[in-house]
Amino acid sequence: MATFLLKRLAMMFVTMLCASFLVFAVCEFTPGSVARKSLGPFATQQQGRPAVGEIEGQ
């Protein structure tokens, strides 16, 4: 029973690692700023400026 749980935990860790890598890759390699994408399509310029500045370190 313990080996079954350890195998399941190991597979869960691998799955989470792969999923986080895929999400990171999609966010980084699609065109546009990550800050603008996280705000969504209906964000105004006024809402976007502070968020982009915070994420880009300005």
Side-chain angles (χ1 to χ4, degrees):
M1 183 69 172
T3 57
F4 173 75
L5 289 175
L6 287 175
K7 285 181 184 178
R8 285 292 193 167
L9 286 173
M11 288 306 295
M12 181 184 71
F13 179 73
V14 170
T15 302
M16 295 293 283
L17 190 67
C18 290
S20 63
F21 175 75
L22 287 174
V23 169
F24 171 77
V26 167
C27 286
E28 281 296 313
F29 298 122
T30 53
S33 169
V34 174
R36 295 294 299 168
K37 286 185 275 187
S38 66
L39 286 172
F42 302 110
T44 64
Q45 283 291 90
Q46 293 171 339
Q47 292 170 324
R49 250 183 246 120
V52 171
E54 282 179 28
I55 291 177
E56 292 178 353
Q58 295 176 349

